[in-house]
Amino acid sequence: MTTKLKKLPGPDNFEVILAKDFKGYYSSADPTTIEGDVFIRGSQNIYKNIRGNIANRPGRKRYDDEDDTATNGIKAGKTWSTSLGKHLVLRSQNGLLQVWSDIVTTDTFVWYTLLSGLGTDLRFVFDTWWNNTLKKDQLVFVRGTDDFYMWSGGIAKISSTTSTTIVLSATVASSGFNTSSGSVLINGTTYTYTGSSASTLTGVTGDPTGEAVNSAVIQTVITTTNTPADGFDNDFLKVINNQVYIGSYNSRLIYISEDDDYLNYTVPATRVAGDPELLTLDENCNGIGARQGKAHISAGQSDWYEVSFSQILVGSTLTEQTFVKKLPISQGAAAYAHEFIANYNDQIVYLSKDQQVRALGVFTNLTEVSYPVLSKAIATDLKNEDFTQGQLKVISEGDLGDLIYVIAPNTGTVYIRQNKQALVRDGSIRTESLWFAPFVIGIGQIDSRNGTTI
């Protein structure tokens, strides 16, 4: 006679319930005390996708097909969406500064060298400056020396040549070249020109007739030494209202250029709007951000400064006064470094000296600037991380919302905060913010080119 077996007690008697309201990644709290539907310390490479499901992070592949022969990796990069409609990607590696272009064959991209022999000083910081004479933007950049660099973005290919002319595949102006004079690089050889007409560079010195048709023609980088000052380490810059702000990690000085001449830093006896200026802060500088059209400069361990200008009439002369307002902040809440300062909506988002992600701005129910911590959930992870040579970047990722990337290249770890906003039926805004479990990717910097994160 047989009998029906009873259900045996034991560890297999449990009910599986799918998480319906994933609340992100928490590493700082005791796992036994926090609410459910979260990932805890030790989780990696998982996130909440656009469908609301928990998923493995997407795989990554090389954005370019060219083998990287660098021994120390890429140290800095920039995606420049020019005023002429181009999307130029730059990188520094192996003593070189290069630009990625498909100018010769459409959709076949090649890295072209702009500068070589740079040694180990490859931590470039870039921004764009508007040339009102040429009616186009130009790329300005520094790398921790007293050199100042500008590149016009000129790229084309040869249609034909004579001993004194180079005819380009498009007009000189629309290709991004300086129209009055300059120099170009073709297959490793530099040629100068004294003028232009339509698509032709004229007054070319150095006979270019030996260069093959369809060869790439690249405007050379203009390097200006001892700018803004001899021996000043230009570690970072920021263009605000078309004035270039330059700072150094080893100095309390901030140089500000003239608004129509990025190389003029001489402060006149009587300043008017747009004139150069020189600021002296209380501590050495950490970096520069911008909010509501004003420069915000971090220094030391606990300093943020807001810079503003006011025009007043002195006698019959209209002059401009500079106001530097020191903002109240706690010890350790200054910015970690310039590359860790970004913008999100009307706020500055940054990694602080105590290695927490903070926001600088005015928030609901507050009437003055505040610096709330955004990384409480992962405070322990960030505190113990190595962010040397890293970056903080905010990129809009479509349905995923706005993502704050905090990159630690020496450990190969990327921390990502997701901020999503949606308009609901009653007309209010619903906001969701959470941290992904750390992504182990092994990158140094991140950017976006024409809507694609690279």
Side-chain angles (χ1 to χ4, degrees):
M1 181 177 180
T2 60
T3 59
K4 184 177 181 181
L5 292 176
K6 293 182 179 180
K7 187 175 182 180
L8 297 176
D12 289 338
N13 290 338
F14 60 86
E15 183 179 3
V16 177
I17 301 175
L18 294 177
K20 296 181 179 179
D21 186 23
F22 176 59
K23 300 179 179 65
Y25 169 74
Y26 286 73
S27 66
S28 302
D30 184 342
T32 65
T33 62
I34 59 177
E35 59 186 331
D37 298 340
V38 301
F39 286 119
I40 61 174
R41 188 176 181 86
S43 303
Q44 291 182 341
N45 298 320
I46 43 180
Y47 75 112
K48 182 178 180 180
N49 64 22
I50 60 176
R51 299 179 181 87
N53 300 324
I54 298 169
N56 292 329
R57 72 165 177 85
R60 293 286 183 181
K61 66 177 182 178
R62 291 180 61 90
Y63 192 71
D64 63 301
D65 296 326
E66 191 171 317
D67 290 338
D68 184 3
T69 59
T71 57
N72 296 313
I74 296 172
K75 299 302 182 183
K78 169 70 175 178
T79 299
W80 177 20
S81 297
T82 75
S83 58
L84 299 176
K86 298 179 181 179
H87 303 283
L88 302 176
V89 178
L90 289 88
R91 72 177 185 185
S92 61
Q93 56 91 32
N94 204 28
L96 307 172
L97 177 67
Q98 298 176 308
V99 62
W100 198 51
S101 176
D102 65 343
I103 187 63
V104 173
T105 304
T106 303
D107 295 330
T108 299
F109 287 84
V110 175
W111 287 104
Y112 295 98
T113 296
L114 297 175
L115 293 172
S116 61
L118 299 175
T120 59
D121 296 324
L122 295 173
R123 193 65 176 176
F124 283 93
V125 175
F126 306 87
D127 209 341
T128 56
W129 181 85
W130 178 257
N131 187 319
N132 198 49
T133 300
L134 298 177
K135 304 302 181 185
K136 65 183 292 292
D137 62 349
Q138 297 176 323
L139 195 67
V140 291
F141 44 105
V142 295
R143 63 180 181 112
T145 67
D146 61 7
D147 292 333
F148 187 95
Y149 302 91
M150 188 281 290
W151 185 49
S152 72
I155 300 180
K157 60 183 179 180
I158 295 176
S159 289
S160 63
T161 60
T162 69
S163 61
T164 59
T165 65
I166 300 172
V167 181
L168 305 177
S169 55
T171 65
V172 174
S174 66
S175 299
F177 292 86
N178 293 329
T179 54
S180 57
S181 63
S183 60
V184 296
L185 190 66
I186 306 173
N187 296 321
T189 301
T190 300
Y191 301 89
T192 62
Y193 63 95
T194 59
S196 67
S197 176
S199 59
T200 302
L201 302 176
T202 58
V204 175
T205 300
D207 187 345
T209 53
E211 303 291 357
V213 171
N214 292 329
S215 293
V217 183
I218 312 290
Q219 184 92 69
T220 57
V221 172
I222 295 176
T223 304
T224 306
T225 60
N226 303 328
T227 302
D230 184 9
F232 187 80
D233 295 332
N234 302 330
D235 288 314
F236 49 85
L237 56 74
K238 183 76 173 178
V239 178
I240 304 171
N241 299 322
N242 221 45
Q243 292 181 279
V244 182
Y245 290 64
I246 301 181
S248 169
Y249 295 124
N250 304 313
S251 175
R252 299 184 179 188
L253 302 179
I254 293 288
Y255 288 88
I256 306 176
S257 76
E258 189 175 3
D259 63 356
D260 60 358
D261 185 354
Y262 62 84
L263 295 178
N264 182 10
Y265 295 87
T266 302
V267 182
T270 301
R271 293 186 64 257
V272 298
D275 274 348
E277 179 63 295
L278 178 63
L279 309 179
T280 304
L281 307 181
D282 293 337
E283 300 284 349
N284 287 356
C285 303
N286 301 324
I288 307 170
R291 178 175 177 267
Q292 297 184 342
K294 300 176 182 178
H296 286 67
I297 305 170
S298 179
Q301 294 291 317
S302 59
D303 291 357
W304 272 99
Y305 301 84
E306 180 185 272
V307 182
S308 61
F309 303 97
S310 177
Q311 295 185 31
I312 62 172
L313 195 64
V314 179
S316 59
T317 303
L318 185 65
T319 64
E320 184 176 75
Q321 285 185 316
T322 304
F323 296 94
V324 181
K325 178 182 178 182
K326 191 172 182 177
L327 303 175
I329 192 171
S330 58
Q331 186 76 9
Y336 183 89
H338 180 79
E339 289 89 347
F340 290 89
I341 302 173
N343 287 92
Y344 173 63
N345 293 339
D346 190 36
Q347 306 160 14
I348 291 176
V349 180
Y350 68 100
L351 184 73
S352 52
K353 289 287 188 180
D354 60 358
Q355 297 198 175
Q356 298 302 309
V357 177
R358 298 175 181 267
L360 185 161
V362 176
F363 305 89
T364 304
N365 299 325
L366 295 175
T367 58
E368 58 184 21
V369 173
S370 183
Y371 311 84
V373 174
L374 306 181
S375 55
K376 180 180 178 181
I378 63 168
T380 305
D381 280 355
L382 298 187
K383 187 68 176 178
N384 297 320
E385 188 57 85
D386 178 6
F387 288 106
T388 305
Q389 300 294 307
Q391 179 197 38
L392 185 150
K393 187 80 173 182
V394 181
I395 299 177
S396 179
E397 296 276 8
D399 289 341
L400 280 178
D402 298 312
L403 301 184
I404 301 174
Y405 292 87
V406 191
I407 300 173
N410 292 320
T411 63
T413 308
V414 180
Y415 300 90
I416 303 174
R417 178 180 169 88
Q418 180 187 51
N419 297 295
K420 290 180 67 175
Q421 291 184 330
L423 181 65
V424 295
R425 290 182 178 180
D426 63 2
S428 62
I429 299 294
R430 183 182 66 195
T431 301
E432 179 185 38
S433 298
L434 55 86
W435 286 93
F436 295 166
F439 284 12
V440 181
I441 305 178
I443 60 175
Q445 291 196 344
I446 197 167
D447 210 335
S448 178
R449 179 183 184 272
N450 199 22
T452 300
T453 299
I454 61 175

